[in-house]
């Protein structure tokens, strides 16, 4: 393959990755558990941006249940984020091995 063609392809890939990063910055999803007693919101960088707890689930006698609800809400949000990323970025990142989008 011609080295100049390879450089051109790298330039195109760089542009695509920049567009993907810009789109990721705009993504925000929420996942919930326990009938919406716990809601976790993630951004496109897989960072937790908020956790909302219904006061009814805050019982100091049952902390393990609350911990389980938070983990379940986080898992729900991660699943939704991965699906949204696949649908929005799928064609752009096709062929790239990006963790979490497999």
């Amino acid at each position: 393959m011609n080295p100049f063609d390879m450089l051109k392809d790298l330039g195109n890939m760089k542009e695509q990755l920049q567009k993907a990063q810009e789109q990721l910055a705009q993504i925000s999803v929420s996942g919930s558990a326990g009938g919406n007693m716990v809601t976790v919101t993630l951004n496109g960088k897989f960072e937790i941006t908020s956790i909302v707890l219904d006061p009814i689930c805050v019982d100091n006698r049952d902390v393990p249940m609350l911990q389980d609800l938070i983990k379940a809400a986080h898992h729900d949000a991660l699943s939704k984020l991965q699906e949204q990323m696949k649908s929005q970025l799928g064609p752009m990142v096709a062929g790239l091995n990006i963790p979490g989008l497999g």
Side-chain angles (χ1 to χ4, degrees):
M1 178 174 218
N2 184 337
F4 294 109
D5 289 340
M6 289 176 60
L7 288 174
K8 183 179 177 184
D9 289 344
L10 286 175
N12 290 338
M13 184 180 288
K14 183 178 177 182
E15 286 179 27
Q16 286 181 329
L17 289 175
Q18 286 175 335
K19 287 179 186 177
Q21 286 178 334
E22 290 170 5
Q23 285 184 325
L24 287 175
Q26 303 301 316
I27 294 175
S28 177
V29 297
S30 294
S32 63
N36 295 324
M37 288 194 303
V38 175
T39 302
V40 173
T41 302
L42 301 175
N43 64 19
K45 296 177 184 178
F46 295 90
E47 300 168 333
I48 294 175
T49 56
S50 78
I51 297 176
V52 178
L53 305 174
D54 185 323
I56 198 166
C57 70
V58 182
D59 182 352
N60 62 357
R61 295 170 292 166
D62 200 3
V63 172
M65 185 264 317
L66 180 57
Q67 292 168 334
D68 288 343
L69 288 174
I70 291 171
K71 287 190 288 187
H74 182 256
H75 178 73
D76 185 41
L78 277 175
S79 296
K80 290 177 181 177
L81 179 59
Q82 289 172 336
E83 286 303 313
Q84 188 169 355
M85 290 173 78
K86 281 182 193 178
S87 69
Q88 287 187 358
L89 303 177
M92 191 177 302
V93 295
L96 298 177
N97 185 16
I98 299 176
L101 293 181

Coordinates of all heavy atoms in Angstrom, one line a residue:
M1 N 0.8 -1.2 0.0 CA 0.0 0.0 0.0 C 0.9 1.2 0.0 O 1.9 1.3 0.6 CB -0.9 0.0 1.2 CG -1.8 1.2 1.3 SD -3.0 1.0 2.7 CE -4.4 1.8 1.9
N2 N 0.5 2.2 -0.7 CA 1.2 3.5 -0.8 C 1.2 4.2 0.6 O 0.2 4.4 1.2 CB 0.5 4.4 -1.8 CG 1.2 5.7 -2.1 OD1 1.9 6.2 -1.3 ND2 0.9 6.2 -3.3
P3 N 2.4 4.6 1.0 CA 2.5 5.3 2.4 C 1.6 6.6 2.4 O 1.1 6.9 3.5 CB 4.0 5.6 2.5 CG 4.7 4.8 1.5 CD 3.7 4.4 0.5
F4 N 1.5 7.3 1.3 CA 0.7 8.5 1.3 C -0.8 8.2 1.5 O -1.5 8.9 2.1 CB 0.9 9.3 0.0 CG 2.3 9.8 -0.1 CD1 3.2 9.3 -1.0 CD2 2.8 10.8 0.8 CE1 4.5 9.8 -1.0 CE2 4.1 11.3 0.7 CZ 5.0 10.8 -0.2
D5 N -1.2 7.1 0.9 CA -2.6 6.6 1.1 C -2.9 6.3 2.6 O -3.9 6.6 3.2 CB -3.0 5.4 0.2 CG -3.1 5.8 -1.2 OD1 -3.3 7.0 -1.5 OD2 -2.9 4.9 -2.1
M6 N -1.9 5.7 3.2 CA -2.0 5.3 4.6 C -2.1 6.6 5.5 O -2.9 6.6 6.4 CB -0.8 4.5 5.1 CG -0.8 3.0 4.5 SD 0.7 2.1 5.0 CE 0.6 2.1 6.7
L7 N -1.3 7.6 5.2 CA -1.4 8.8 5.9 C -2.7 9.5 5.7 O -3.3 10.1 6.7 CB -0.2 9.8 5.5 CG 1.2 9.4 6.0 CD1 2.2 10.3 5.4 CD2 1.2 9.4 7.5
K8 N -3.3 9.4 4.5 CA -4.6 10.0 4.3 C -5.6 9.3 5.1 O -6.5 9.9 5.7 CB -4.9 9.9 2.8 CG -6.2 10.6 2.4 CD -6.4 10.4 0.9 CE -7.8 11.0 0.5 NZ -8.1 10.8 -0.9
D9 N -5.5 7.9 5.1 CA -6.5 7.1 5.9 C -6.4 7.5 7.4 O -7.4 7.5 8.1 CB -6.3 5.7 5.7 CG -6.7 5.2 4.3 OD1 -7.4 5.9 3.6 OD2 -6.3 4.1 3.9
L10 N -5.2 7.7 7.9 CA -5.0 8.1 9.3 C -5.6 9.4 9.6 O -6.2 9.6 10.7 CB -3.5 8.1 9.7 CG -2.8 6.7 9.8 CD1 -1.3 6.9 10.1 CD2 -3.5 5.9 10.9
G11 N -5.5 10.3 8.7 CA -6.2 11.6 8.8 C -7.7 11.5 8.9 O -8.3 12.1 9.8
N12 N -8.2 10.7 8.1 CA -9.7 10.4 8.1 C -10.1 9.8 9.4 O -11.1 10.1 10.0 CB -10.1 9.6 6.9 CG -10.0 10.3 5.6 OD1 -10.0 11.5 5.6 ND2 -9.9 9.6 4.5
M13 N -9.3 8.8 9.9 CA -9.6 8.1 11.1 C -9.6 9.1 12.3 O -10.4 9.1 13.2 CB -8.7 7.0 11.4 CG -9.0 6.2 12.6 SD -7.9 4.8 12.9 CE -8.4 3.7 11.6
K14 N -8.6 10.0 12.3 CA -8.5 11.0 13.3 C -9.7 11.9 13.4 O -10.2 12.2 14.4 CB -7.2 11.8 13.1 CG -7.0 12.8 14.2 CD -5.7 13.6 14.0 CE -5.5 14.7 15.1 NZ -4.3 15.5 14.9
E15 N -10.2 12.3 12.2 CA -11.4 13.1 12.1 C -12.6 12.4 12.7 O -13.4 12.9 13.4 CB -11.7 13.6 10.7 CG -10.8 14.7 10.2 CD -11.1 15.0 8.8 OE1 -12.2 14.8 8.3 OE2 -10.1 15.5 8.1
Q16 N -12.7 11.1 12.3 CA -13.8 10.3 12.8 C -13.7 10.1 14.3 O -14.8 10.2 15.0 CB -13.8 8.9 12.1 CG -14.3 8.9 10.7 CD -14.3 7.6 10.1 OE1 -13.5 6.7 10.5 NE2 -15.2 7.4 9.2
L17 N -12.6 9.9 14.9 CA -12.4 9.8 16.3 C -12.8 11.1 17.0 O -13.4 11.0 18.1 CB -11.0 9.3 16.7 CG -10.7 7.8 16.3 CD1 -9.3 7.5 16.6 CD2 -11.6 6.9 17.0
Q18 N -12.4 12.2 16.5 CA -12.7 13.5 17.1 C -14.2 13.7 17.1 O -14.8 14.1 18.1 CB -12.0 14.6 16.3 CG -10.6 14.7 16.6 CD -9.9 15.8 15.8 OE1 -10.3 16.2 14.8 NE2 -8.7 16.3 16.3
K19 N -14.9 13.3 16.0 CA -16.4 13.4 15.9 C -17.0 12.5 17.0 O -18.0 12.9 17.6 CB -16.9 13.1 14.5 CG -16.6 14.1 13.5 CD -17.1 13.7 12.1 CE -16.7 14.7 11.1 NZ -17.1 14.3 9.7
A20 N -16.4 11.3 17.1 CA -17.0 10.4 18.1 C -16.8 10.9 19.5 O -17.8 10.8 20.3 CB -16.3 9.0 17.9
Q21 N -15.7 11.5 19.8 CA -15.5 12.1 21.1 C -16.5 13.2 21.4 O -17.0 13.3 22.5 CB -14.1 12.6 21.3 CG -13.1 11.4 21.4 CD -11.6 11.9 21.5 OE1 -11.3 13.0 21.0 NE2 -10.8 11.2 22.2
E22 N -16.7 14.0 20.4 CA -17.7 15.1 20.5 C -19.1 14.6 20.8 O -19.8 15.1 21.6 CB -17.7 16.0 19.3 CG -16.4 16.8 19.1 CD -16.3 17.5 17.8 OE1 -17.3 17.5 17.0 OE2 -15.3 18.1 17.5
Q23 N -19.4 13.5 20.1 CA -20.8 12.9 20.3 C -20.8 12.3 21.7 O -21.9 12.3 22.3 CB -21.1 11.9 19.2 CG -21.4 12.5 17.9 CD -21.8 11.4 16.9 OE1 -21.2 10.3 16.9 NE2 -22.7 11.7 16.0
L24 N -19.8 11.6 22.1 CA -19.8 11.0 23.4 C -20.0 12.0 24.5 O -20.7 11.7 25.5 CB -18.5 10.3 23.7 CG -18.3 9.0 22.9 CD1 -16.9 8.4 23.2 CD2 -19.3 7.9 23.2
A25 N -19.4 13.2 24.3 CA -19.6 14.2 25.4 C -21.0 14.7 25.5 O -21.4 15.1 26.6 CB -18.7 15.4 25.0
Q26 N -21.9 14.5 24.5 CA -23.3 14.9 24.6 C -24.2 13.8 25.1 O -25.3 14.1 25.4 CB -23.7 15.2 23.1 CG -22.9 16.3 22.5 CD -22.9 17.6 23.3 OE1 -23.9 18.1 23.7 NE2 -21.7 18.2 23.4
I27 N -23.7 12.6 25.2 CA -24.6 11.5 25.7 C -24.7 11.5 27.2 O -23.8 11.7 28.0 CB -24.0 10.1 25.3 CG1 -24.0 10.0 23.8 CG2 -24.7 9.0 25.9 CD1 -23.3 8.7 23.3
S28 N -26.0 11.3 27.6 CA -26.3 11.2 29.1 C -27.5 10.2 29.2 O -28.5 10.4 28.5 CB -26.7 12.6 29.6 OG -27.1 12.4 31.0
V29 N -27.3 9.2 30.0 CA -28.3 8.2 30.2 C -28.5 7.9 31.7 O -27.6 8.1 32.5 CB -28.0 6.8 29.5 CG1 -27.9 7.0 28.0 CG2 -26.7 6.2 30.0
S30 N -29.7 7.5 32.0 CA -30.0 7.2 33.4 C -30.5 5.8 33.5 O -31.2 5.3 32.6 CB -31.1 8.1 34.0 OG -30.6 9.5 34.0
G31 N -30.1 5.1 34.5 CA -30.6 3.8 34.8 C -31.2 3.8 36.2 O -30.8 4.6 37.1
S32 N -32.2 2.9 36.4 CA -32.8 2.9 37.7 C -33.0 1.4 38.2 O -32.9 0.5 37.5 CB -34.2 3.6 37.6 OG -35.0 2.9 36.8
A33 N -33.3 1.4 39.5 CA -33.5 0.1 40.1 C -34.5 0.3 41.3 O -34.7 1.4 41.8 CB -32.2 -0.5 40.7
G34 N -35.1 -0.9 41.7 CA -36.1 -0.8 42.8 C -37.3 0.0 42.5 O -37.8 0.8 43.4
G35 N -37.8 -0.1 41.3 CA -39.0 0.8 41.0 C -38.7 2.2 41.0 O -39.5 3.0 41.5
N36 N -37.5 2.6 40.5 CA -37.1 4.0 40.4 C -36.7 4.6 41.8 O -36.7 5.8 42.0 CB -38.1 4.9 39.7 CG -38.2 4.6 38.3 OD1 -37.2 4.2 37.6 ND2 -39.4 4.7 37.7
M37 N -36.5 3.7 42.8 CA -36.1 4.2 44.1 C -34.6 4.8 44.0 O -34.2 5.7 44.8 CB -36.2 3.2 45.2 CG -37.6 2.8 45.6 SD -37.7 1.9 47.1 CE -36.8 0.4 46.8
V38 N -33.8 4.2 43.1 CA -32.4 4.6 42.9 C -32.2 4.9 41.4 O -32.6 4.0 40.6 CB -31.4 3.5 43.4 CG1 -30.0 4.0 43.1 CG2 -31.6 3.3 44.9
T39 N -31.7 6.1 41.1 CA -31.4 6.4 39.7 C -30.0 6.9 39.6 O -29.6 7.7 40.4 CB -32.4 7.5 39.2 OG1 -33.7 7.1 39.3 CG2 -32.1 7.9 37.8
V40 N -29.3 6.3 38.7 CA -27.9 6.7 38.4 C -27.8 7.2 37.0 O -28.3 6.6 36.0 CB -26.9 5.4 38.5 CG1 -25.5 5.8 38.1 CG2 -27.0 4.9 40.0
T41 N -27.1 8.4 36.8 CA -27.0 9.0 35.5 C -25.5 9.0 35.2 O -24.6 9.3 36.0 CB -27.5 10.4 35.5 OG1 -28.9 10.4 35.9 CG2 -27.4 11.1 34.1
L42 N -25.2 8.5 33.9 CA -23.8 8.5 33.4 C -23.7 9.4 32.2 O -24.7 9.6 31.4 CB -23.5 7.0 32.9 CG -23.6 5.9 34.0 CD1 -23.3 4.6 33.3 CD2 -22.6 6.1 35.1
N43 N -22.5 9.9 32.0 CA -22.2 10.6 30.7 C -21.5 9.6 29.8 O -21.3 8.5 30.1 CB -21.4 11.9 31.0 CG -20.0 11.5 31.5 OD1 -19.5 10.4 31.4 ND2 -19.3 12.5 32.1
G44 N -21.2 10.1 28.6 CA -20.6 9.3 27.6 C -19.2 8.8 27.9 O -18.6 8.0 27.1
K45 N -18.6 9.3 28.9 CA -17.3 8.9 29.4 C -17.4 7.8 30.5 O -16.4 7.5 31.1 CB -16.5 10.0 29.9 CG -16.2 11.1 28.8 CD -15.4 12.2 29.4 CE -15.2 13.3 28.3 NZ -14.5 14.5 28.9
F46 N -18.6 7.3 30.7 CA -18.9 6.3 31.7 C -18.7 6.8 33.1 O -18.5 6.1 34.0 CB -18.0 5.0 31.5 CG -18.3 4.3 30.2 CD1 -17.7 4.6 29.1 CD2 -19.3 3.3 30.2 CE1 -18.0 3.9 27.9 CE2 -19.6 2.6 29.0 CZ -18.9 2.9 27.9
E47 N -18.8 8.1 33.3 CA -18.7 8.7 34.6 C -20.1 8.9 35.2 O -21.0 9.3 34.5 CB -18.0 10.1 34.5 CG -16.6 10.0 33.9 CD -16.0 11.4 33.6 OE1 -16.8 12.3 33.3 OE2 -14.8 11.5 33.6
I48 N -20.2 8.7 36.5 CA -21.5 8.9 37.2 C -21.6 10.4 37.4 O -20.7 11.1 38.0 CB -21.5 8.2 38.5 CG1 -21.5 6.7 38.3 CG2 -22.8 8.6 39.3 CD1 -21.5 5.9 39.6
T49 N -22.7 11.0 36.9 CA -22.9 12.4 37.0 C -23.9 12.7 38.1 O -23.9 13.9 38.6 CB -23.4 13.1 35.7 OG1 -24.5 12.4 35.2 CG2 -22.2 13.0 34.6
S50 N -24.7 11.8 38.4 CA -25.7 12.0 39.6 C -26.2 10.6 40.1 O -26.3 9.7 39.3 CB -26.8 12.9 39.2 OG -27.8 12.2 38.4
I51 N -26.6 10.6 41.3 CA -27.3 9.5 41.9 C -28.4 10.1 42.7 O -28.2 11.0 43.5 CB -26.4 8.7 42.9 CG1 -25.2 8.1 42.2 CG2 -27.2 7.7 43.7 CD1 -24.2 7.4 43.1
V52 N -29.6 9.7 42.4 CA -30.8 10.2 43.1 C -31.4 9.0 43.9 O -31.7 7.9 43.3 CB -31.9 10.7 42.1 CG1 -33.1 11.2 42.8 CG2 -31.3 11.8 41.2
L53 N -31.7 9.3 45.2 CA -32.2 8.2 46.0 C -33.6 8.7 46.6 O -33.7 9.8 47.1 CB -31.3 8.0 47.3 CG -29.9 7.6 47.0 CD1 -29.1 7.6 48.3 CD2 -29.8 6.3 46.3
D54 N -34.6 7.8 46.4 CA -35.9 8.1 47.0 C -35.7 8.0 48.5 O -35.1 7.0 49.0 CB -36.9 7.1 46.5 CG -38.3 7.4 47.0 OD1 -38.5 7.9 48.1 OD2 -39.2 7.2 46.2
P55 N -36.1 9.0 49.3 CA -35.9 8.9 50.8 C -36.4 7.6 51.4 O -35.9 7.2 52.4 CB -36.7 10.1 51.3 CG -36.7 11.1 50.2 CD -36.7 10.2 48.9
I56 N -37.4 7.0 50.8 CA -38.0 5.8 51.3 C -37.0 4.6 51.4 O -37.1 3.7 52.2 CB -39.3 5.4 50.6 CG1 -40.1 4.4 51.4 CG2 -39.0 4.8 49.2 CD1 -41.5 4.2 50.9
C57 N -36.0 4.7 50.5 CA -35.0 3.5 50.4 C -33.8 3.8 51.3 O -32.9 2.9 51.4 CB -34.6 3.2 49.0 SG -33.6 4.5 48.2
V58 N -33.8 4.9 52.0 CA -32.6 5.2 52.9 C -33.0 4.8 54.3 O -33.6 5.5 55.0 CB -32.3 6.7 52.8 CG1 -31.1 7.0 53.7 CG2 -32.0 7.2 51.4
D59 N -32.6 3.6 54.6 CA -32.9 3.0 55.9 C -31.6 2.5 56.4 O -31.0 1.5 55.9 CB -33.9 1.9 55.8 CG -34.3 1.2 57.1 OD1 -33.7 1.5 58.1 OD2 -35.2 0.4 57.1
N60 N -31.1 3.1 57.5 CA -29.8 2.7 58.0 C -29.8 1.2 58.5 O -28.7 0.7 58.8 CB -29.3 3.6 59.1 CG -30.2 3.7 60.3 OD1 -31.2 3.0 60.4 ND2 -29.8 4.5 61.3
R61 N -30.9 0.6 58.7 CA -31.0 -0.8 59.1 C -30.8 -1.7 57.9 O -30.6 -2.9 58.1 CB -32.3 -1.1 59.8 CG -32.4 -0.3 61.1 CD -33.8 -0.4 61.7 NE -34.7 0.3 60.7 CZ -36.0 0.2 60.7 NH1 -36.6 -0.6 61.6 NH2 -36.7 0.9 59.9
D62 N -30.9 -1.2 56.7 CA -30.8 -2.1 55.5 C -29.8 -1.5 54.4 O -30.2 -1.3 53.3 CB -32.2 -2.3 54.9 CG -32.2 -3.5 54.0 OD1 -31.2 -4.2 53.9 OD2 -33.3 -3.8 53.4
V63 N -28.7 -1.1 54.9 CA -27.7 -0.6 54.0 C -27.3 -1.5 52.8 O -27.2 -1.1 51.7 CB -26.4 -0.1 54.7 CG1 -25.3 0.3 53.8 CG2 -26.8 1.0 55.7
P64 N -27.2 -2.8 53.0 CA -26.8 -3.7 51.9 C -27.9 -3.7 50.8 O -27.5 -3.7 49.6 CB -26.8 -5.1 52.6 CG -26.4 -4.8 54.0 CD -27.1 -3.5 54.3
M65 N -29.1 -3.5 51.1 CA -30.2 -3.4 50.1 C -29.9 -2.2 49.3 O -30.0 -2.2 48.1 CB -31.6 -3.4 50.7 CG -32.7 -3.4 49.7 SD -33.5 -1.8 49.3 CE -33.6 -0.9 50.8
L66 N -29.6 -1.0 49.9 CA -29.4 0.2 49.2 C -28.2 0.1 48.3 O -28.2 0.5 47.2 CB -29.2 1.4 50.2 CG -29.0 2.7 49.6 CD1 -30.1 3.1 48.6 CD2 -28.8 3.8 50.7
Q67 N -27.1 -0.6 48.8 CA -25.9 -0.8 48.0 C -26.2 -1.6 46.8 O -25.8 -1.3 45.7 CB -24.8 -1.5 48.8 CG -24.3 -0.6 49.9 CD -23.4 -1.3 50.9 OE1 -23.6 -2.5 51.1 NE2 -22.6 -0.6 51.6
D68 N -27.0 -2.6 46.9 CA -27.4 -3.5 45.8 C -28.3 -2.7 44.8 O -28.1 -2.8 43.6 CB -28.2 -4.7 46.3 CG -27.4 -5.7 47.0 OD1 -26.1 -5.7 46.8 OD2 -28.0 -6.6 47.7
L69 N -29.1 -1.8 45.3 CA -30.0 -1.0 44.4 C -29.1 0.0 43.6 O -29.3 0.2 42.4 CB -31.0 -0.2 45.1 CG -32.2 -1.0 45.7 CD1 -33.1 -0.2 46.5 CD2 -33.0 -1.6 44.5
I70 N -28.1 0.5 44.2 CA -27.2 1.5 43.5 C -26.4 0.7 42.4 O -26.3 1.2 41.3 CB -26.2 2.2 44.5 CG1 -27.0 3.2 45.4 CG2 -25.1 2.9 43.8 CD1 -26.3 3.8 46.5
K71 N -25.9 -0.5 42.8 CA -25.2 -1.2 41.8 C -26.1 -1.6 40.6 O -25.7 -1.6 39.5 CB -24.6 -2.5 42.4 CG -23.4 -2.2 43.3 CD -22.6 -3.5 43.7 CE -23.4 -4.2 44.7 NZ -22.7 -5.4 45.3
A72 N -27.3 -2.0 40.9 CA -28.2 -2.4 39.9 C -28.6 -1.2 39.0 O -28.7 -1.4 37.7 CB -29.5 -3.0 40.5
A73 N -28.8 -0.1 39.6 CA -29.1 1.1 38.8 C -27.9 1.5 37.9 O -28.0 1.9 36.7 CB -29.5 2.3 39.7
H74 N -26.7 1.4 38.4 CA -25.5 1.7 37.7 C -25.4 0.7 36.5 O -25.1 1.1 35.4 CB -24.3 1.6 38.6 CG -23.0 1.9 37.9 ND1 -22.1 0.9 37.5 CD2 -22.4 3.1 37.5 CE1 -21.1 1.5 36.9 NE2 -21.3 2.8 36.9
H75 N -25.6 -0.6 36.7 CA -25.6 -1.6 35.7 C -26.6 -1.2 34.6 O -26.3 -1.3 33.4 CB -25.8 -3.0 36.2 CG -25.8 -4.0 35.2 ND1 -24.6 -4.5 34.5 CD2 -26.8 -4.7 34.6 CE1 -25.0 -5.4 33.6 NE2 -26.3 -5.6 33.7
D76 N -27.8 -0.9 35.0 CA -28.9 -0.5 34.0 C -28.4 0.7 33.2 O -28.6 0.7 32.0 CB -30.1 -0.2 34.8 CG -31.3 0.1 33.9 OD1 -31.5 -0.6 32.9 OD2 -32.1 1.0 34.2
A77 N -27.8 1.7 33.8 CA -27.4 2.9 33.1 C -26.2 2.5 32.1 O -26.2 3.0 31.0 CB -26.9 4.0 34.0
L78 N -25.3 1.6 32.6 CA -24.2 1.2 31.7 C -24.8 0.5 30.4 O -24.3 0.7 29.3 CB -23.3 0.3 32.4 CG -22.2 0.9 33.3 CD1 -21.4 -0.2 34.0 CD2 -21.3 1.7 32.5
S79 N -25.7 -0.4 30.6 CA -26.3 -1.1 29.5 C -27.0 -0.1 28.5 O -26.8 -0.2 27.3 CB -27.4 -2.1 30.0 OG -26.8 -3.1 30.8
K80 N -27.7 0.9 29.0 CA -28.3 1.9 28.2 C -27.3 2.7 27.4 O -27.5 3.0 26.3 CB -29.3 2.7 29.0 CG -30.5 2.0 29.5 CD -31.4 2.9 30.3 CE -32.6 2.2 30.8 NZ -33.4 3.0 31.7
L81 N -26.2 3.1 28.1 CA -25.2 3.9 27.5 C -24.5 3.1 26.4 O -24.3 3.6 25.3 CB -24.2 4.3 28.6 CG -23.0 5.1 28.1 CD1 -23.4 6.4 27.4 CD2 -22.0 5.4 29.2
Q82 N -24.2 1.8 26.6 CA -23.6 1.0 25.6 C -24.5 0.9 24.3 O -24.0 1.0 23.2 CB -23.2 -0.3 26.1 CG -22.1 -0.3 27.1 CD -21.8 -1.6 27.8 OE1 -22.7 -2.5 27.9 NE2 -20.6 -1.8 28.3
E83 N -25.8 0.7 24.6 CA -26.7 0.6 23.4 C -26.8 1.9 22.7 O -26.8 2.0 21.5 CB -28.1 0.2 23.9 CG -28.2 -1.2 24.3 CD -27.8 -2.2 23.2 OE1 -28.3 -2.0 22.0 OE2 -27.0 -3.1 23.4
Q84 N -26.9 3.1 23.4 CA -26.9 4.4 22.8 C -25.6 4.6 22.0 O -25.7 5.2 20.9 CB -27.2 5.5 23.8 CG -27.5 6.8 23.1 CD -28.0 7.8 24.1 OE1 -28.2 7.5 25.3 NE2 -28.2 9.0 23.6
M85 N -24.5 4.3 22.5 CA -23.2 4.5 21.9 C -23.2 3.7 20.6 O -22.7 4.1 19.5 CB -22.1 4.2 22.8 CG -21.9 5.2 23.9 SD -20.7 4.7 25.1 CE -19.2 5.1 24.2
K86 N -23.6 2.4 20.6 CA -23.6 1.6 19.5 C -24.5 2.2 18.4 O -24.1 2.2 17.2 CB -24.2 0.2 19.8 CG -23.2 -0.7 20.5 CD -23.8 -2.1 20.7 CE -23.0 -2.9 21.7 NZ -23.7 -4.2 21.9
S87 N -25.7 2.6 18.7 CA -26.6 3.2 17.7 C -26.1 4.5 17.1 O -26.3 4.7 16.0 CB -28.0 3.3 18.3 OG -28.1 4.3 19.2
Q88 N -25.5 5.3 17.9 CA -25.1 6.6 17.4 C -23.7 6.6 16.7 O -23.5 7.3 15.8 CB -25.0 7.7 18.6 CG -26.3 8.1 19.1 CD -26.2 9.2 20.1 OE1 -25.1 9.7 20.5 NE2 -27.4 9.7 20.5
L89 N -22.8 5.7 17.3 CA -21.5 5.7 16.8 C -21.1 4.5 15.9 O -20.1 4.4 15.4 CB -20.5 5.8 17.9 CG -20.6 7.0 18.8 CD1 -19.6 6.9 19.9 CD2 -20.4 8.3 18.1
G90 N -22.1 3.6 15.9 CA -21.8 2.3 15.2 C -21.1 2.4 13.9 O -20.0 1.8 13.7
P91 N -21.7 3.1 12.9 CA -21.1 3.2 11.6 C -19.7 3.9 11.6 O -18.8 3.6 10.9 CB -22.0 4.0 10.8 CG -23.3 4.0 11.5 CD -23.0 3.8 12.9
M92 N -19.6 4.8 12.5 CA -18.3 5.6 12.6 C -17.2 4.8 13.1 O -16.0 5.0 12.7 CB -18.6 6.8 13.5 CG -17.5 7.9 13.4 SD -17.8 9.3 14.4 CE -19.3 9.9 13.7
V93 N -17.4 3.9 14.1 CA -16.4 3.1 14.7 C -16.4 1.7 14.3 O -15.8 0.9 15.0 CB -16.4 3.3 16.2 CG1 -16.2 4.7 16.6 CG2 -17.7 2.8 16.8
A94 N -17.1 1.4 13.2 CA -17.1 0.0 12.8 C -15.7 -0.5 12.5 O -14.9 0.2 11.9 CB -18.0 -0.1 11.5
G95 N -15.4 -1.7 13.0 CA -14.1 -2.3 12.8 C -13.1 -2.0 13.9 O -12.1 -2.6 13.9
L96 N -13.4 -1.0 14.7 CA -12.5 -0.6 15.8 C -12.9 -1.4 17.0 O -14.1 -1.6 17.3 CB -12.6 0.9 16.1 CG -12.2 1.8 15.0 CD1 -12.4 3.3 15.5 CD2 -10.7 1.6 14.6
N97 N -11.9 -1.9 17.7 CA -12.2 -2.7 18.9 C -12.2 -1.8 20.1 O -11.2 -1.5 20.8 CB -11.1 -3.8 19.1 CG -11.4 -4.7 20.3 OD1 -12.6 -4.7 20.8 ND2 -10.4 -5.4 20.7
I98 N -13.4 -1.2 20.4 CA -13.5 -0.3 21.5 C -14.2 -1.0 22.7 O -15.3 -1.6 22.6 CB -14.4 0.9 21.1 CG1 -13.7 1.7 20.0 CG2 -14.6 1.9 22.3 CD1 -14.5 2.8 19.4
P99 N -13.5 -1.0 23.9 CA -14.0 -1.7 25.0 C -15.4 -1.2 25.4 O -15.7 0.0 25.3 CB -13.0 -1.4 26.1 CG -11.8 -1.1 25.4 CD -12.2 -0.4 24.1
G100 N -16.3 -2.1 25.7 CA -17.7 -1.7 26.1 C -18.6 -1.6 25.0 O -19.8 -1.5 25.2
L101 N -18.2 -1.7 23.7 CA -19.1 -1.6 22.6 C -19.1 -2.9 21.8 O -19.7 -3.0 20.8 CB -18.6 -0.5 21.6 CG -18.8 0.9 22.1 CD1 -18.3 1.9 21.1 CD2 -20.2 1.2 22.6
G102 N -18.5 -4.0 22.4 CA -18.4 -5.2 21.7 C -19.7 -6.0 21.7 O -20.7 -5.8 22.0

